Amino acid sequence: MEYINNELHLGPKKKNLKSLTANYMRPIYVYDLDFIRMRFAAMSQALKNVRIFYAMKANPNPEVLRCLKEAGSGADVVSLGEIKRALENGFSPADIVYSGVGKTRHEITEALKLDIYQINVESLPELERIGQIAKEMGKKAAIALRLNPDIDIKTHPYIATGLRDNKFGMELSLVPELIRCLKSYAGSLELVGVSLHLGSQMLEFEGYKEALERLKKVFIALQKEFSSLQRFDFGGGLGIYYDRLDLAKEEAILKEYAEITLSSLQELNCDLQSEPGRWLLGHAGVLLTQVQYVKKTSEKTFVIVDAGMNHLIRPSLYEAEHLILPLDKKSEEGVFDIVGPICESSDFFAKDRKIAKVKEGDFLAVMDAGAYGYSMASSYNLQELPLEICI
């Protein structure tokens, strides 16, 4: 972002945000497609010969999906709804990896009818269910085992997924039982991959490197049992900075991540897959919101805006701190709580935040809201959902 003539502009082509508020009715998510293309190209270049499956849960906006499909991405999905959205926007079944811990019989049946590329299996009961359904349908399901290496990557506990007390994946001690199940459904299940995902917002890689080494040994052992095993899915989770914009530093982190991944896995001589979301989309989106009131009490000054936790829940849920900037540059600053209209004390975007002094009617941009913003929004309090605009 950058101020030009005292107005906030977004992205590599410096697009004016204030112009989007001319007929403002309610909060607006704005996504910069040029930025998304730029980030996808950077990741593709760093992760050479890795097939990228964009994690749709981060942002399933149709224009965003079409942009990524045109750039060469596949789709990582976690529901039948996401499968349908992917197909509606140009992805083929051969582009889709199906993840998620709670796949229903109906969802599995529909996925098998479509012959999607790969189902990432999260539990032994799920593996048995897929085997039974595939057998009844006369199908052979291409599956990958999501294995849990019990590694801590030092992130917020709500977005950590690689520890033994998480609901995601399967402990390595379960591998013998998984082998038995795979062999008992040999005509209906084809083991094509091993999958890993440690969590989100990963900015240092000591734990990640250890996890790769652990799973590499398991992969080699499994390949001796199943010659069909040819894919290693190392997941996503690469983080971004929310407290500042430092794209050069983030690209350096991407380079380090890629070097660790490719050097650790090169001896496997297999197909590599990744499932990024936030790194591609986070900085590409902003949430525009209008100041309704500036309310002073004996303790605080509240800036009350028309967007809330129902539109962007990350500050309330994850204690996330998004940069918040006025669309018109201002010289005076103050310390404020920036809060929304929802009837919950947890409805805030920032507390005791030093930002530019604003007045009723001014517009603010909540930055870095392109991932896990609109996709997690709700109509709580029967508030309307935000608009979405791609530029």
Side-chain angles (χ1 to χ4, degrees):
M1 67 281 192
E2 182 182 342
Y3 283 101
I4 301 173
N5 296 326
N6 291 322
E7 293 183 349
L8 190 64
H9 288 63
L10 178 69
K13 296 189 178 179
K14 305 193 180 349
K15 296 164 186 172
N16 187 301
L17 291 174
K18 189 175 180 182
S19 63
L20 302 176
T21 65
N23 298 304
Y24 185 87
M25 296 295 291
R26 63 182 191 269
I28 307 168
Y29 272 104
V30 183
Y31 311 124
D32 186 341
L33 299 181
D34 292 308
F35 186 88
I36 295 169
R37 292 186 191 99
M38 182 183 79
R39 293 285 268 194
F40 186 85
M43 181 165 275
S44 297
Q45 185 175 6
L47 294 171
K48 291 188 186 303
N49 300 317
V50 173
R51 189 169 181 192
I52 294 173
F53 294 85
Y54 165 62
M56 271 184 62
K57 58 184 174 288
N59 185 329
N61 176 276
E63 287 186 72
V64 167
L65 295 180
R66 290 193 290 272
C67 172
L68 285 164
K69 169 59 181 172
E70 289 167 7
S73 183
D76 172 66
V77 305
V78 293
S79 70
L80 181 58
E82 288 192 350
I83 290 174
K84 291 177 178 178
R85 176 70 64 87
L87 295 174
E88 288 165 0
N89 288 283
F91 294 92
S92 73
D95 296 322
I96 296 174
V97 168
Y98 186 11
S99 303
V101 301
K103 305 177 189 77
T104 66
R105 290 184 180 277
H106 175 62
E107 288 177 315
I108 292 167
T109 300
E110 293 303 304
L112 291 176
K113 283 180 184 177
L114 289 166
D115 290 321
I116 66 169
Y117 184 70
Q118 176 179 305
I119 300 176
N120 288 349
V121 177
E122 299 263 3
S123 67
L124 179 58
E126 184 190 328
L127 184 63
E128 292 169 340
R129 176 179 287 185
I130 295 170
Q132 290 166 1
I133 294 171
K135 186 176 181 179
E136 291 165 5
M137 295 176 66
K139 293 274 192 177
K140 195 160 191 177
I143 64 100
L145 301 175
R146 179 171 177 177
L147 298 174
N148 187 332
D150 193 30
I151 296 286
D152 186 359
I153 60 165
K154 312 298 183 197
T155 190
H156 192 282
Y158 288 1
I159 50 176
T161 60
L163 294 165
R164 77 176 90 186
D165 62 352
N166 298 135
K167 70 178 180 179
F168 301 95
M170 296 171 281
E171 294 182 64
L172 299 185
S173 60
L174 197 62
V175 168
E177 289 184 62
L178 295 171
I179 291 173
R180 284 194 289 273
C181 183
L182 284 164
K183 289 185 174 179
S184 70
Y185 286 101
S188 307
L189 295 174
E190 182 176 35
L191 178 63
V192 297
V194 163
S195 172
L196 163 73
H197 187 64
L198 296 179
S200 198
Q201 266 302 86
M202 184 166 49
L203 292 166
E204 61 86 29
F205 306 112
E206 184 179 346
Y208 174 66
K209 187 174 182 180
E210 184 182 349
L212 291 178
E213 292 302 321
R214 287 190 189 182
L215 283 200
K216 186 164 68 171
K217 294 174 184 176
V218 177
F219 184 95
I220 291 168
L222 282 170
Q223 204 170 41
K224 292 175 182 176
E225 299 275 353
F226 304 95
S227 60
S228 57
L229 178 56
Q230 296 295 330
R231 303 172 193 165
F232 194 110
D233 185 335
F234 54 88
L238 188 62
I240 64 173
Y241 293 111
Y242 281 98
D243 59 345
R244 62 191 183 277
L245 187 65
D246 191 343
L247 299 184
K249 176 65 173 173
E250 288 183 2
E251 293 213 10
I253 290 172
L254 168 66
K255 184 178 178 182
E256 180 186 359
Y257 171 71
E259 287 174 351
I260 289 170
T261 303
L262 299 179
S263 62
S264 296
L265 300 178
Q266 63 181 350
E267 68 186 80
L268 296 181
N269 193 29
C270 66
D271 297 331
L272 299 180
Q273 301 172 185
S274 182
E275 302 164 9
R278 185 190 314 274
W279 200 89
L280 298 174
L281 265 293
H283 294 314
V286 299
L287 176 61
L288 303 184
T289 183
Q290 188 178 44
V291 177
Q292 301 302 307
Y293 304 99
V294 178
K295 175 181 175 179
K296 296 181 179 181
T297 72
S298 59
E299 294 291 324
K300 288 178 177 283
T301 300
F302 295 93
V303 172
I304 302 172
V305 297
D306 60 347
M309 63 185 289
N310 57 318
H311 293 160
L312 179 65
I313 200 172
R314 296 191 71 258
S316 300
L317 185 61
Y318 301 131
E319 302 168 323
E321 295 189 3
H322 290 253
L323 289 175
I324 300 175
L325 300 172
L327 294 196
D328 292 301
K329 190 174 184 180
K330 298 173 184 292
S331 55
E332 273 194 273
E333 292 186 324
V335 177
F336 307 97
D337 279 17
I338 302 168
V339 301
I342 300 302
C343 296
E344 301 284 347
S345 296
S346 58
D347 178 30
F348 63 88
F349 289 136
K351 289 187 174 183
D352 297 319
R353 178 76 64 86
K354 186 177 183 180
I355 66 161
K357 283 189 176 181
V358 291
K359 64 183 185 303
E360 182 178 322
D362 285 349
F363 290 95
L364 295 175
V366 184
M367 307 302 296
D368 309 320
Y372 305 102
Y374 190 94
S375 66
M376 296 178 74
S378 76
S379 57
Y380 182 47
N381 285 184
L382 291 185
Q383 293 275 357
E384 286 188 282
L385 290 170
L387 296 172
E388 290 183 290
I389 297 175
C390 290
I391 57 174

